[in-house]
Structure formats: C-alpha cells, structure tokens
Amino acid sequence: MSDKFPNNFIWGAATSAYQIEGAATGNNRLPSVWDTFCTIPNRVVNGDTGEVACDHYHRYETDVKLMVELGIKDYRFSIAWPRIIPGGRGTVNEAGVDFYQRLVDCLLEQGITPHATLFHWDSPQALEDLYGSWQSRQIAQDYADYVTAVVSRLGDRITHWMTLNEISCFTHKGYGVDETPVHAPGTQVNSKKAVWQTSHHALLAHGLGCQAIRAASPGSCKVSLVDNFCVTVPLSESPENIAATQKAFHTCGSNGGIIFPALTGAYSPALLELLGEDAPDIQAGDLEIIHQPLDYLGLNIYKGAYVRATDNEQGYEILDWPKGYPKMHMPWLNIVPESIYWGIRHVSDTLGHKDLPILITENGCAAQDEINAQGEVIDSDRILYLRQYLKSAHRALSEGYPLTGYFLWSLMDNFEWSWGYDRRFGIIYVDYQTQQRLPKASFHWYRECIRQNRVV
Ligand code: PNW
C-alpha cells in the first residue's frame, strides 16, 4: 500500500463548547458545573474561567473561514446543554438552539460536515443543585430529553452525533473519594462504589441518548460514543507481549467498566473481581440499554501504557516510565505514537468488533508555543508528535482496520479545563488579549497532509 490515505478519509479538527465559546451569560444560558468549579479557589490554574474563552460564540464566522483555509471538510464541536435547556430539564431555550443553527448553516455553506458531540462535560449546574448530577440515575432520562430537544431541532442539518465525550473524565475525575477531583463538579463522595455509580449513570445516558437520537432524527443519521480508554501497548510486538496487552486492557484505567459494557453489553469480569464491593449497582435491563448498536466508535487517543508479559500470577506488567521519557507539555502526555494503532486493534481484537468503523475523534498535544520575532509560531515539536501518531493511524489502515477518519485536537488554543489557558493544544494560536487568531506552523503542515492525502 502506498503512503496515501483512502480517498474518502476524513481529515478533521475538533473543539468543545465550554473550551471555546465564551458568552457564558449570553442569550439565557445558565451556568454549567464548570462555571461554578472555576470560581472555587485553586481549582483552575490562575483562576481562569470559560467566561470569554476564544469568544467563538461571536467569532464563529472567522473560525469557519480558518477551517476553510485549513482544508478540512469535517468539524467536530459540542453543543452546550446549558444553552439549550438552561435549567437542565424543562423549557428549551430557542436562543441557544439558534446559535447552533447559525454555526451549522455557516459550516454547511462552506461544505464542512458538522459532527456534533451532545455532551462535553458542561452539565447544567441546576441538575447538580437538584440531585448531584451524575450521582443520580435521573440524569440519564434528563439527558435523553435534552438530546431529543436538540436532534428534533438540528437533525435536519446535523447527521453525525456523538452522545458523550470521555465518560471516565467527567465521572471518575469529577467525583472522588480520597483525592480532590480535578474536574467539575469536584465532589467528594464516600465510596469508590459511588464513583462507579456515576459512570454507570453516564452509560445509561449514552444508551438512552442513542435511542433518542434515532427516534428524533428526521432522516438517517450516524450515532457513536466518544471514549478515551486506556490503550495498552506491547513493549515489543512478541506474541506473548501482545497477549499480555490484551489481558491488561481489561483493568487498565476504567476500561472494564466503560468501553466493555458499551461495546459488549457486560462489565469485564476481571474488573468486577477487582472491584468486589466497589462495583456499581446494575439494575435489570441496564446493560441492554447501555449496549446500543453504534454506527462507529469515536476514540480520543493521546498516550498509551507499555505492557510486557511476565511470569507472575496476572501474567503481565504495566511498565513505569523512565525518568527521561519524552513528553509534550502536560504531565500525562507521554509520546506513544503506536497507541493509535493499538487502540484500533483493541477494538477489533480485545473487544471483538472487527468491522466497527473507528474515527479518531481527538489526537493532539500541548506545546510551549511562542510567537517569534517574525510574528510566527514554529511548533515543530507539535508537528513531530502529530506526524508519528498519523503514521501509526496509517499503519492500521494498511493492515485493513476500519479507520475512517481523524480529528486533530484542537483547531485552536482554548480553555484546557483545570489548566486554564496555561496549556495550548491548538494548531491556531489565540492571543487572549486581542482574540486574534494566528495559524501555527502545524496548521500549515496539517493543511499539506490534507492536500496530499498522506503524512508529509
Ligand atoms: C481530552 N489524560 O481530555 C478532552 O476531550 C478535551 O476536552 C481536552 O482538552 C483534551 O483531551 C486535552 O486534554 C483528556 O489524562 C483529559 O490522559 C485527560 C487525559 C486525556 C484526555
């Protein structure tokens, strides 16, 4: 196979609502848990908030022009629940819907296909106040009602839907027992079981959400979940290490309790054994709701965990990182390009979905970008990172795995959650003083990859 990507390969870029929109109080929007979290001292670096962010809410036309310049035909963004139903449940705010109608019309006019994530962590604060948001089973139904409101209004122009972004992040990092949770709402709960219960409720929301999308969509549509499972990667590709990697996949991070039920209809037995009394309560019928047919799977892949086979009882070892291991500008961002290839293989080999199309819905990195004397940002380190990961995606394609596209995270610098504006993931530099956008070297590099349909 040549180094070309398939002709219909999707080259895209991604963002999320709270991270770029700003206009936090505009047009009847009410606070999300992130608005509240940002006001708690020492939770977000420099006390940053999403109040203005990239002001995309007012500058979306400029941003769509930049997408055209980049040459992408697909854009992944998220819809903010607190704009559509500010109180979390009940009345729909048509002014909130209107913003997304204008955005999507603008995209479609430029021949860009919208891929909408229905939830990217911005739970309505009202539901947090009412019942502790993801701690309550009720949120699954309220989420499904919100989804119906969105899809019945926007389903004539959006056909690619993603239910929830990274369940593990907004549940297992939003609720905690011992450590202070790093994500909103940042709630201390009294047992690990209570944390697992929040992700179980999110899975139910995903399941009911899938049903709601299909029921409300006026025409055919594509439905998926966006997951960031822990990618176990063989230290070297011996048959023993590969087998060990598959075994380790079950209990790495929250894999066994999130991607397993979503794709196989059951929590991984290995995880349940490990959890014992910490396992969530699962009611009759829950797993059927959670295990919905998907049109494709969205994977956010940034890093991996190296594994090798061992002689001990569990048969594998997840390896520590050597002191000097190369990483990008985040403590967790170890450079493991093979994680794209192995992430795709785990869907096929470990989860048993050989033909399920896969979209890389996020891949990218933070770098210490600076504007030089010529007024440019030469982020060759980001290019180095991206090039290796894209080659790993190409390897999966060359071996016949059903990878259909790639969305780079992120189109532009944005509010990086608890890191605020201190970390930059964009291929477009944002000057937060002036809101000026400046395409970085990686933008021009990515445009050339898209133009040539191969990694350059
Ligand atoms: C994703 N980790 O989050 C999110 O979907 C984005 O909103 C975010 O901006 C982006 O990645 C960069 O962080 C992640 O610890 C959070 O491995 C944490 C991890 C990975 C992704």
Side-chain angles (χ1 to χ4, degrees):
M1 189 177 161
S2 76
D3 61 356
K4 290 276 185 188
F5 280 62
N7 283 332
N8 54 358
F9 190 76
I10 292 171
W11 296 97
T15 62
S16 92
Y18 190 70
Q19 294 180 271
I20 64 165
E21 285 178 2
T25 50
N27 288 312
N28 312 322
R29 181 187 180 277
L30 286 177
S32 71
V33 291
W34 269 97
D35 294 272
T36 310
F37 193 69
C38 289
T39 65
I40 308 173
N42 302 320
R43 291 298 175 95
V44 178
V45 172
N46 298 324
D48 289 341
T49 77
E51 220 174 308
V52 179
C54 309
D55 195 32
H56 172 74
Y57 188 85
H58 299 111
R59 296 169 193 261
Y60 68 91
E61 285 172 311
T62 305
D63 295 334
V64 172
K65 276 194 198 120
L66 286 162
M67 293 177 211
V68 172
E69 202 181 312
L70 179 59
I72 55 173
K73 297 272 186 296
D74 292 82
Y75 172 54
R76 172 177 179 241
F77 63 101
S78 83
I79 294 177
W81 188 349
R83 282 197 199 285
I84 305 292
I85 304 185
R89 57 200 309 201
T91 316
V92 175
N93 172 35
E94 299 299 340
V97 176
D98 184 61
F99 166 66
Y100 296 104
Q101 270 168 352
R102 285 182 283 124
L103 168 65
V104 169
D105 287 347
C106 184
L107 290 166
L108 293 174
E109 267 166 38
Q110 298 298 335
I112 298 172
T113 303
H115 297 248
T117 309
L118 285 151
F119 178 78
H120 199 124
W121 307 357
D122 43 3
S123 323
Q125 179 64 33
L127 298 186
E128 178 62 21
D129 299 339
L130 188 65
Y131 52 59
S133 38
W134 298 99
Q135 293 180 77
S136 166
R137 203 179 156 86
Q138 177 60 37
I139 198 161
Q141 189 53 55
D142 288 336
Y143 169 79
D145 292 344
Y146 151 70
V147 167
T148 300
V150 173
V151 178
S152 60
R153 287 167 176 78
L154 292 163
D156 58 340
R157 42 200 122 178
I158 303 175
T159 53
H160 294 68
W161 298 103
M162 310 175 198
T163 53
L164 304 168
N165 182 71
E166 300 190 349
I167 290 177
S168 69
C169 277
F170 66 86
T171 58
H172 291 235
K173 287 181 185 167
Y175 302 84
V177 186
D178 305 319
E179 312 128 55
T180 319
V182 294
H183 284 185
T187 306
Q188 218 88 43
V189 292
N190 51 28
S191 66
K192 279 192 182 153
K193 183 190 175 84
V195 177
W196 279 101
Q197 205 64 51
T198 63
S199 52
H200 187 70
H201 295 151
L203 285 165
L204 286 170
H206 161 69
L208 295 179
C210 287
Q211 294 173 345
I213 296 167
R214 295 195 200 280
S217 178
S220 68
C221 62
K222 294 203 183 295
V223 178
S224 76
L225 170 70
V226 174
D227 192 44
N228 64 324
F229 57 58
C230 162
V231 184
T232 49
V233 175
L235 184 62
S236 64
E237 296 186 5
S238 65
E240 297 77 22
N241 282 351
I242 292 174
T245 301
Q246 294 183 341
K247 211 169 172 200
F249 183 80
H250 285 247
T251 48
C252 189
S254 43
N255 290 359
I258 294 180
I259 197 62
F260 273 82
L263 284 197
T264 72
Y267 280 67
S268 159
L271 176 76
L272 288 179
E273 197 188 315
L274 205 72
L275 289 182
E277 297 194 338
D278 291 328
D281 291 328
I282 303 171
Q283 295 185 14
D286 281 3
L287 291 167
E288 287 71 26
I289 293 170
I290 290 165
H291 186 211
Q292 291 294 312
L294 299 179
D295 297 298
Y296 64 93
L297 179 67
L299 287 182
N300 293 351
I301 298 187
Y302 290 89
K303 57 170 191 184
Y306 284 118
V307 172
R308 68 173 169 185
T310 53
D311 295 332
N312 64 13
E313 203 189 323
Q314 64 177 7
Y316 65 83
E317 178 188 9
I318 295 185
L319 294 154
D320 291 335
W321 298 99
K323 275 202 187 96
Y325 194 90
K327 51 171 78 185
M328 299 303 292
H329 196 212
M330 284 295 251
W332 50 267
L333 232 178
N334 295 305
I335 305 177
V336 186
E338 317 90 277
S339 55
I340 290 210
Y341 171 78
W342 283 98
I344 295 166
R345 277 204 51 174
H346 281 305
V347 176
S348 168
D349 303 352
T350 315
L351 294 159
H353 280 268
K354 297 221 178 305
D355 303 315
L356 182 64
I358 293 171
L359 263 184
I360 301 298
T361 35
E362 285 180 27
N363 170 243
C365 64
Q368 300 181 56
D369 303 315
E370 276 171 348
I371 301 183
N372 67 14
Q374 290 84 42
E376 306 163 308
V377 178
I378 308 295
D379 54 341
S380 47
D381 47 355
R382 179 175 286 105
I383 295 174
L384 170 87
Y385 172 101
L386 293 170
R387 184 185 284 126
Q388 301 313 315
Y389 279 71
L390 270 166
K391 284 189 174 169
S392 171
H394 188 270
R395 177 183 172 197
L397 282 164
S398 69
E399 293 183 19
Y401 291 97
L403 174 66
T404 57
Y406 173 94
F407 290 86
L408 199 159
W409 184 275
S410 176
L411 178 70
M412 57 183 139
D413 294 337
N414 57 51
F415 177 77
E416 177 52 30
W417 308 112
S418 58
W419 292 88
Y421 301 101
D422 195 58
R423 298 297 146 116
R424 295 177 177 272
F425 273 83
I427 54 171
I428 297 172
Y429 187 91
V430 177
D431 176 339
Y432 293 106
Q433 302 302 314
T434 61
Q435 289 297 344
Q436 279 210 20
R437 275 80 162 132
L438 174 65
K440 304 177 191 177
S442 56
F443 176 101
H444 300 292
W445 169 82
Y446 189 48
R447 180 172 61 184
E448 200 53 29
C449 291
I450 297 170
R451 204 178 65 78
Q452 297 192 25
N453 201 28
R454 65 188 189 93
V455 184
V456 296

